[in-house]
């Protein structure tokens, strides 16, 4: 007997051997069969989906759950376009804080909306002696006041209180880490938001690090969240590369650096596991710190690498030698050059054809770099919603020649490069359906079409958030298609993305989300 049979629906399985079905059976959290194989089989519960469209649950291959959940509960200045209005928010927060010298944490900062960066001196006028830390929306910078600057080593660079990349990490290190309890609750909040958009599995893009980590014992927060039923979807954890340390392993192992006990990609189970090693090579376009091969339009610099190029290369090579899958953050084309060079060197030293290394973001990729991605078997994990929401700005700072190279689609697929969809939540909108719409249209919210030749089909875009996402995370045996034997992770949609006008895809209702055959928010059967 089946646990459930879902019927009267259009199941888009993403499996070429059985692309469309009308019935799907579930037994003990797995797909038991499709159509005739289950239609006459008794089931404890039969659910009539009334003609809905059902897809495999979306896989978001690059998110920040803890950051998302914390951001939801942190004072925000988002939407304010005047310096005085931002300072008024800080002043009100300072007036409410009764502990002398306490930290005032704010989010939603983006200098583009204000026309320039805030300064430490301006924050000093309203902070009443408290320490102000205002996080940039990109996660790659912050603005602080003099009370924070006074605590930093003299050699930490800043621009009138704006700290980018490693300098921001120095400021974050001044504060106590979040508790595992705080983090577990934040993770739970973010997970529920993901589920509401049809995401049933995701890869947390960097725990325990200086830039995006929130505690040196952050992995334990995810374990706590799972133990207390706060983790209703599948999560794979990328570990920040700086957590690796020298090890005296046997010389035959060839492992120069590792986590304690040699923990690496693959440890865990189908609900919570260790994924790739996260390595940052550059910053972000919002903060103008992505490393480019020539300057940003209208600026006198080309961004920055996170560290000395040799040190970054050594980290990538050492991670490969230690057996990790690598997720290399490279937004600018200069950073991508470094990443590809290092991966090529690593594969030459110890060939691992099945490593499935990934370039995270791949924000600006020149035509000559595409064949190198393919030759190295590297996936491109892109965030289409960046261009949907920030595309006008990005196109302007890249200029006419480079704008079509932003967050490519067709270029990767035509070169045989796996194209993987993701959000980088909470940097921007996390909806896979809105991202799918952009991947087809290549249109920003204003209607500007950016790199129209990079547009792909609806089917190809859906694959990026199902089949390709599962493969990038080594989940293809359990997720990504509605195939008998795989996990019954499903998203029920109010319409068929392949059957509506492209402009309507992003607005399709997510009617229900199932994980292990259980509709989220309801008791398991």
């Amino acid at each position: 007997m089946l646990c459930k049979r879902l019927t009267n629906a259009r199941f888009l399985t993403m499996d070429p051997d059985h692309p469309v079905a009308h019935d799907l059976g579930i037994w003990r959290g797995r797909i038991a069969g499709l159509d005739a194989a289950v239609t006459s089989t008794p089931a404890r519960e039969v659910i009539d989906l009334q003609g809905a469209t059902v897809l495999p649950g979306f896989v978001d291959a690059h998110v920040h759950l803890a950051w998302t959940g914390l951001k939801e509960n942190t004072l925000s200045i988002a939407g304010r376009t005047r310096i005085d209005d931002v300072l008024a928010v800080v002043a009100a927060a300072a007036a409410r804080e009764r502990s002398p010298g306490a930290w005032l944490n704010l989010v939603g900062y983006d200098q583009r909306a204000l026309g320039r960066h805030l300064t430490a001196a301006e924050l000093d006028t309203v902070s009443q002696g408290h320490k102000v830390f205002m996080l940039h929306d990109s996660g790659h910078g912050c603005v602080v006041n003099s009370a924070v600057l006074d605590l930093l080593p003299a050699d930490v660079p800043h621009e009138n209180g704006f700290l980018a990349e490693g300098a921001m990490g120095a400021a974050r290190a001044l504060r106590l880490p979040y508790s595992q309890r705080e983090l577990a609750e934040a993770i739970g909040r973010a997970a529920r938001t993901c589920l509401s958009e049809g995401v049933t599995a995701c890869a947390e893009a960097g725990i325990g690090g200086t830039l995006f980590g929130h505690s040196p014992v952050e992995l334990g927060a995810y374990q706590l969240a799972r133990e207390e039923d706060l983790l209703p979807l599948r999560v794979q954890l990328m570990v920040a590369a700086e957590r690796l340390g020298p090890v005296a392993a046997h010389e035959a192992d060839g492992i120069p650096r590792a986590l304690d006990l040699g923990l690496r990609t693959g440890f865990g189970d189908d609900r919570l596991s260790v994924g790739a090693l996260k390595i940052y090579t550059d910053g972000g376009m919002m903060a103008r710190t992505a490393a480019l091969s020539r300057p940003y339009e209208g600026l006198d610099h080309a961004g920055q690498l996170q560290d000395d190029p040799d040190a970054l290369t050594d980290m990538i090579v050492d991670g490969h030698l230690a057996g990790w899958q690598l997720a290399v953050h490279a937004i600018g084309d200069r950073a991508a050059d470094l990443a590809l060079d290092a991966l090529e060197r690593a594969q030459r030293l110890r060939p691992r054809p099945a490593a499935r290394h990934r370039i995270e973001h791949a924000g600006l990729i020149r035509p000559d770099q595409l064949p190198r991605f393919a030759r190295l078997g590297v996936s491109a994990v892109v965030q289409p919603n960046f261009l949907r929401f920030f595309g006008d700005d990005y196109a302007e700072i890249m200029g006419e020649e480079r704008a079509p190279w932003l967050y490519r689609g067709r270029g990767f697929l035509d070169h045989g490069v796996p194209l993987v969809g993701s959000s980088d939540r909470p940097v921007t909108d996390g909806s896979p359906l809105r991202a799918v719409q952009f991947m087809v249209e290549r249109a920003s919210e204003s209607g500007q079409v950016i790199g129209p030749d990079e547009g792909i089909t609806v089917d190809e875009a859906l694959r990026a958030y199902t089949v390709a996402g599962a493969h990038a995370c080594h989940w293809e045996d359990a997720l990504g298609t509605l195939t008998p034997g795989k996990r019954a992770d499903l998203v029920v949609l109010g319409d068929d993305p392949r059957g509506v006008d492209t402009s309507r895809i992003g607005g399709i209702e997510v009617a229900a989300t199932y994980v292990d055959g259980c509709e989220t928010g309801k008791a398991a059967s």
Side-chain angles (χ1 to χ4, degrees):
M1 177 178 285
L2 298 172
C3 298
K4 286 188 182 79
R5 186 171 72 250
L6 308 183
T7 188
N8 188 20
R10 182 174 176 82
F11 294 91
L12 306 181
T13 69
M14 308 306 292
D15 180 354
D17 292 335
H18 194 147
V20 181
H22 53 77
D23 275 21
L24 182 144
I26 299 171
W27 186 71
R28 294 188 176 180
R30 292 186 180 270
I31 298 170
L34 301 168
D35 293 343
V38 296
T39 300
S40 301
T41 304
R44 287 203 295 267
E45 183 180 10
V46 177
I47 300 174
D48 184 342
L49 293 177
Q50 300 180 353
T53 296
V54 183
L55 280 157
F58 296 129
V59 178
D60 190 334
H62 185 119
V63 303
H64 299 278
L65 290 179
W67 178 15
T68 298
L70 291 169
K71 185 175 181 179
E72 289 178 11
N73 277 16
T74 302
L75 181 63
S76 177
I77 62 161
R80 290 167 177 82
T81 58
R82 298 175 62 246
I83 298 289
D84 287 347
D85 291 343
V86 173
L87 295 177
V89 174
V90 179
R96 290 191 299 269
E97 180 54 64
R98 301 303 181 192
S99 302
W103 285 91
L104 303 180
N105 298 309
L106 298 96
V107 296
Y109 177 65
D110 187 342
Q111 83 286 356
R112 298 173 302 175
L114 301 173
R116 65 171 176 83
H117 279 299
L118 283 167
T119 68
E122 288 170 328
L123 291 173
D124 291 344
T125 65
V126 294
S127 56
Q128 299 183 24
H130 296 304
K131 296 183 281 290
V132 178
F133 183 97
M134 193 176 294
L135 182 64
H136 195 277
D137 267 346
S138 68
H140 286 271
C142 66
V143 63
V144 301
N145 65 344
S146 296
V148 177
L149 294 177
D150 290 345
L151 299 175
L152 293 172
D155 61 349
V156 173
H158 69 91
E159 180 184 338
N160 298 320
F162 179 72
L163 301 109
E165 308 303 339
M168 178 193 67
R172 291 187 66 177
L174 296 172
R175 302 152 57 191
L176 284 173
Y178 290 93
S179 72
Q180 288 191 347
R181 169 65 55 190
E182 288 176 292
L183 290 174
E185 292 174 354
I187 290 160
R189 286 193 294 274
R192 291 190 293 274
T193 300
C194 289
L195 287 170
S196 72
E197 295 176 338
V199 175
T200 58
C202 63
E204 165 66 64
I207 61 168
T210 302
L211 279 182
F212 291 92
H214 298 90
S215 167
V217 290
E218 195 167 2
L219 190 150
Y222 284 85
Q223 290 181 288
L224 178 63
R226 181 180 180 181
E227 291 163 358
E228 301 200 351
D229 293 327
L230 297 174
L231 197 65
L233 75 173
R234 305 183 198 284
V235 179
Q236 191 177 84
L237 303 173
M238 298 185 201
V239 177
E242 63 204 78
R243 295 275 69 86
L244 299 188
V247 292
H250 192 285
E251 63 179 19
D253 293 334
I255 299 176
R257 282 185 275 187
L259 290 183
D260 290 344
L261 303 179
L263 197 70
R264 59 176 173 82
T265 302
F267 183 82
D269 58 25
D270 63 277
R271 277 297 184 121
L272 183 63
S273 60
V274 174
L277 185 72
K278 180 70 177 293
I279 302 173
Y280 293 93
T281 64
D282 69 344
M285 286 187 187
M286 292 170 65
R288 310 316 195 222
T289 54
L292 310 179
S293 57
R294 67 175 194 261
Y296 292 87
E297 290 291 317
L299 299 178
D300 61 358
H301 69 86
Q304 65 190 74
L305 295 172
Q306 289 282 1
D307 202 344
D308 175 78
D310 290 339
L312 293 171
T313 296
D314 288 345
M315 180 65 76
I316 291 169
V317 171
D318 286 354
H320 172 89
L321 294 178
W324 286 88
Q325 178 191 24
L326 303 180
V328 185
H329 168 115
I331 293 184
D333 60 330
R334 177 160 57 109
D337 278 334
L338 184 147
L340 293 169
D341 288 346
L343 291 171
E344 189 169 30
R345 175 181 161 194
Q347 290 284 17
R348 193 164 54 244
L349 290 172
R350 181 178 295 171
R352 289 176 54 210
R356 298 191 199 176
H357 296 323
R358 311 159 34 148
I359 300 290
E360 308 298 301
H361 307 295
L364 184 76
I365 300 300
R366 302 187 310 270
D368 64 285
Q369 293 174 315
L370 294 170
R372 296 196 67 197
F373 270 76
R375 190 164 62 250
L376 289 167
V378 174
S379 296
V381 183
V382 300
Q383 297 76 40
N385 276 333
F386 275 19
L387 287 193
R388 179 178 173 86
F389 292 94
F390 309 138
D392 294 349
D393 173 61
Y394 285 14
E396 182 179 352
I397 61 174
M398 289 301 108
E400 185 176 353
E401 180 189 7
R402 293 183 292 182
W405 306 342
L406 288 164
Y407 294 92
R408 290 176 177 272
R410 176 57 54 202
F412 286 126
L413 292 179
D414 283 354
H415 282 80
V417 177
L419 178 66
V420 182
S422 69
S423 68
D424 204 16
R425 185 193 306 267
V427 177
T428 190
D429 181 85
S431 164
L433 286 172
R434 285 190 281 275
V436 165
Q437 179 176 324
F438 174 83
M439 294 172 90
V440 179
E441 292 182 327
R442 299 287 298 185
S444 71
E445 280 198 307
S446 74
Q448 180 180 358
V449 177
I450 302 164
D453 291 344
E454 291 295 326
I456 61 177
T457 68
V458 174
D459 276 336
E460 289 168 333
L462 291 173
R463 277 186 66 86
Y465 280 91
T466 54
V467 177
H471 188 267
C473 296
H474 293 266
W475 279 329
E476 72 275 11
D477 289 340
L479 308 175
T481 64
L482 302 183
T483 303
K486 291 192 176 184
R487 294 287 179 182
D489 291 4
L490 324 165
V491 56
V492 181
L493 302 179
D495 217 328
D496 184 346
R498 304 186 308 181
V500 302
D501 187 88
T502 304
S503 63
R504 292 180 50 208
I505 293 174
I508 292 175
E509 176 195 7
V510 175
T513 307
Y514 287 75
V515 176
D516 279 335
C518 177
E519 185 176 353
T520 55
K522 296 185 178 181
S525 59

